[in-house]
Amino acid sequence: MSRPALRAVETVSPPEPLAAATAEVIQLAPRAAASTLGWLKPKAVAFATSVVPPLLMVALLLLIWEILCSGSNASLPPPSRVWKEASDLILDPFFVNGSQDIGLGWRVLTSLQRVAIGFGLSAIVGILVGTLVGQSTWAMRGLDPIFQVLRTVPPLAWLPISLAAFRDANPSAIFVIFITAIWPILINTSVGIRNIPQDYRNVSAVLRLNQFEFFWKIMLPSAAPYIFTGLRIGVGLAWLAIVAAEMLTGGVGIGFFIWDAWNSSKLPDIIIALVYIGLVGFILDRLIAALATVVTRGTAAN
Amino acid sequence: MAKQVPYLLVEQVEKTFIRNGIANNVLSDINVAIEAGEYVSIIGHSGCGKSTLLNIIAGLTPATTGAVLLENKEVNDPGPDRAVVFQNHSLLPWLTVYDNVRMAVDKVFSGRKSKAERHDWTMHKLDLVHMVHARDRRPGEISGGMKQRVGIARALAMEPKILLLDEPFGALDALTRAHLQDSVMQIHATLKNTMIMITHDVDEAVLLSDRIIMMTNGPSATIGEILEVNLPRPRRRLELVSNATYIKAREAVLKFLYERHAFVEAA
Ligand SMILES: Nc1ncnc2c1ncn2[C@@H]1O[C@H](COP(=O)(O)OP(=O)(O)OP(=O)(O)O)[C@@H](O)[C@H]1O
Ligand SMILES: [Mg+2]
């Protein structure tokens, strides 16, 4: 509990001369209790400074876009037309007007469900295999080049093979996500495992930890920063792959929606869908990053 | 004939590292016997093989030839009966101070102590090193001296037969160092456990030890001389400054290190 209190004191009295610092320290406990309000203010300032500039930038870009595309022979719709023709997609993401006419929110959720399965599998398999590979120098030497090659295969290149193997759209899409997301997770995990300091191995040797305990208590936490780097790259790739895969496999996902809108020349719909995809990808990335800071708290600080 | 076998016996230990086909004979002909409850220091110039010797006793490094016997049984693997306090503390940074110690307690006493007993045991060891107040902090949030204290608490918590300390205070400032030396002397007086400590510091060696093992320079380092420090305990550093035995012991170690086995930079 002493940490937030300290932080509160630091932020509440910024411009005071150094001489006052000792007096502050003595008041530590009472101040901490009473300073919730004072603590909120700098938070609000920080929030404003991180949110206002991007909002301004977005407004500026929309304006430029509007100007560029408002001519009569512009090939793309300006923001005003996007809003006019597709505002229902923005305002009500969760409508249902029949099996194919549903809100973008539902479509995103369908896609997210596939990503959750595919990415979840790749996380489990990637971490387990990465752990095995990282422990053995020979496995590393033999497998690393193969992984490095497979890593660069674009997601869509896997699709025909997986369609042939699974004979069904949904498992194929999930497999494409899996195979796209697994490489960074696997490679980063194995690097993390290889970089476990000898000190930790010595500690576990003295304690006679068995393989299982060593895996849970030393390996995973020690490699966690690496693993999360892999997961973060992986989730980004998974989201890239789902959209591409759905374009080809059909269904109700957000990817197929874009393909469908293209076929019926509804450009405004596509643009809205792009915004959805971008935002969801951003949120996924932030979720993993937030999870990483919670889980690896203290790991980096040694 | 009636003489007992020593508590710890290091017999004919030799260590040769082979790297890239080049053999490097670090230790040769190491023989030493240590009694239960003894405090023994190992002193020698940097790189002579002190850590290697300690790691062989700990079982972390296998000896090339020779054997280490604890209570007349050969030891080859590391284990909690020979707990190590590492030079760089080696605390797990993702665990709190309490959990670092508790993890060792849980492992060593699983099945032998109840949950409540293990908690009390952990708290007792933290109390021994005066770290109860910081039990919920992580290693990254405490000072170097505090980390070393936790490292000692963790090692003590394993209830080892022998406590091995590899330059436990090497990275600390003089004041913190003196504090910790006093703590260790107190712990040794209370628990009466056997301790082997590596040090670079002559004063530290004389102050803490019953015997000082002085090592010759490598390669093929061996035990040059063993000095008995016959000073009564408890020892107080201020009183010792003018104590004749202390001054003599100190002089003997200094002479060994800087006259007879002065450190020569390898050509
Ligand atoms: N794993 C290893 N492989 C090869 N050589 C090693 C290994 N560990 C130690 N050595 C060599 O053994 C010698 C002794 O090393 P050691 O760490 O035991 O010295 P030390 O007396 O503890 O030194 P310091 O006081 O600096 O800690 C050194 O020359 C070192 O290069
Ligand atoms: Mg050493």
Side-chain angles (χ1 to χ4, degrees), chain A residues 199-200 206-208 213 217 221, chain B residues 78-80 88 90 93-94 107:
Chain A
D199 296 337
Y200 302 169
V206 168
L207 282 175
R208 293 215 178 111
E213 290 166 325
K217 296 185 171 171
Chain B
N88 50 355
S90 294
W94 54 87
K107 179 61 191 170

Side-chain angles (χ1 to χ4, degrees), chain B residues 50-52 87 166-167 198:
Chain B
K50 304 181 295 293
S51 296
T52 307
Q87 177 162 10
D166 190 348
E167 289 183 50
I198 293 179

